[in-house]
Amino acid sequence: MSARAVVCVVVCLLIAVAESKSCGPCNIRCAYPGVPTCNHTMGHWYCKQPAEEVSEDKCNDFYYKMCQTTSDCKVNHHCEMQEGCVSSACGCEPSTGEKGICTADCNTDVGLCVADAVKDHCSDFYYKTCASSADCKAGFECTPQSGCVSSSCMCDPATGNKICTKDCRRDIGVCKDPCEDFYYKVCQSNEDCKAGYECVRAAADKDGNTPCVSSICTCDEGDNMPICTEDCRQNVGKCQKTVESF
């Protein structure tokens, strides 16, 4: 190999390593568009085609459809009635992914299929261990727990379920919304109550009647106190959490 050829190879190699571009000094011109790489194998130079840039298809999820009810729309969409004229069909604008050119017809008293709002399963999620209610944020109380308590829990955004550490802390509470576990139901027997609750009747008076029991009670999130109907049901019980015996 001549001295000029050696110099050419060395210069070309330096350019290929430093800039990854075509090998000009060796008179090798790459016909590929963009920025090809210049490769050297077994004493020969060759051009390698650059990887194609994949552009984002902004119209991939575009969906336009007139409707009368939500059943006319695809999954995760609902029908919203529109005011004024509605085009029968609209195309997608590739640069934005939004509605582009539409037909010039005018449909009235129809709706358009609109994507459902994405539900944030974790917007109200709050988990904190505590020794007293002073450790909790406003509106939450420290609730004693039996058995193991995880030091930390996070929320799974897809389901809203808790994902917790596997450690085991005892003799500690968890901050809870007092209304979160609120449960009220009148009953005649334990079968009327959900799991973990039993039907409890107040003591009857001398005539055999029990005190008044409201048909319905709900939890007031303002002061965490029950709000009950003013009717009076007698000779019935209320479902209360079963007390574990040790």
Side-chain angles (χ1 to χ4, degrees):
M1 183 181 292
S2 66
R4 182 178 181 280
V6 171
V7 172
C8 176
V9 170
V10 172
V11 172
C12 199
L13 179 60
L14 292 174
I15 290 175
V17 172
E19 300 184 7
S20 296
K21 295 183 180 179
S22 60
C23 305
C26 296
N27 294 321
I28 297 176
R29 299 294 181 185
C30 295
Y32 299 124
V35 183
T37 56
C38 188
N39 298 270
H40 181 261
T41 303
M42 302 296 289
H44 299 284
W45 291 98
Y46 67 94
C47 292
K48 183 178 180 181
Q49 185 174 6
E52 292 184 11
E53 293 185 5
V54 180
S55 59
E56 179 186 2
D57 183 4
K58 295 183 178 179
C59 291
N60 185 52
D61 296 326
F62 181 77
Y63 177 62
Y64 182 94
K65 186 181 180 183
M66 292 193 306
C67 58
Q68 290 292 340
T69 65
T70 296
S71 61
D72 297 329
C73 305
K74 69 178 183 180
V75 177
N76 297 327
H77 285 66
H78 62 277
C79 188
E80 285 189 4
M81 300 305 292
Q82 306 292 306
E83 295 181 359
C85 289
V86 176
S87 298
S88 297
C90 288
C92 177
E93 172 54 51
S95 62
T96 63
E98 300 296 329
K99 183 173 66 175
I101 299 175
C102 300
T103 55
D105 57 335
C106 179
N107 296 279
T108 57
D109 298 325
V110 296
L112 286 175
C113 295
V114 178
D116 296 338
V118 178
K119 184 178 180 180
D120 184 357
H121 295 285
C122 298
S123 59
D124 298 326
F125 182 80
Y126 174 65
Y127 180 91
K128 187 179 180 183
T129 57
C130 55
S132 68
S133 294
D135 298 327
C136 306
K137 70 177 184 179
F140 282 70
E141 295 179 357
C142 189
T143 306
Q145 305 293 302
S146 60
C148 287
V149 175
S150 297
S151 296
S152 177
C153 291
M154 61 180 291
C155 178
D156 181 351
T159 63
N161 295 331
K162 285 192 302 184
I163 303 174
C164 302
T165 54
K166 294 183 179 180
D167 59 328
C168 180
R169 301 183 62 183
R170 296 182 180 273
D171 301 324
I172 196 168
V174 173
C175 297
K176 283 196 170 186
D177 179 351
C179 288
E180 178 182 348
D181 297 325
F182 183 82
Y183 175 66
Y184 181 92
K185 187 179 181 182
V186 294
C187 55
Q188 293 289 350
S189 66
N190 292 341
E191 286 71 26
D192 297 327
C193 305
K194 68 178 184 180
Y197 285 73
E198 60 184 344
C199 189
V200 178
R201 294 172 180 262
D205 59 20
K206 61 180 181 179
D207 296 323
N209 294 317
T210 56
C212 285
V213 175
S214 297
S215 297
I216 300 173
C217 289
T218 58
C219 185
D220 183 353
E221 295 188 358
D223 56 13
N224 302 319
M225 297 297 291
I227 301 175
C228 302
T229 54
E230 296 181 356
D231 59 330
C232 178
R233 297 187 62 179
Q234 293 183 309
N235 300 316
V236 294
K238 293 186 291 186
C239 295
Q240 294 183 7
K241 187 167 289 188
T242 302
V243 178
E244 296 182 1
S245 57
F246 298 92

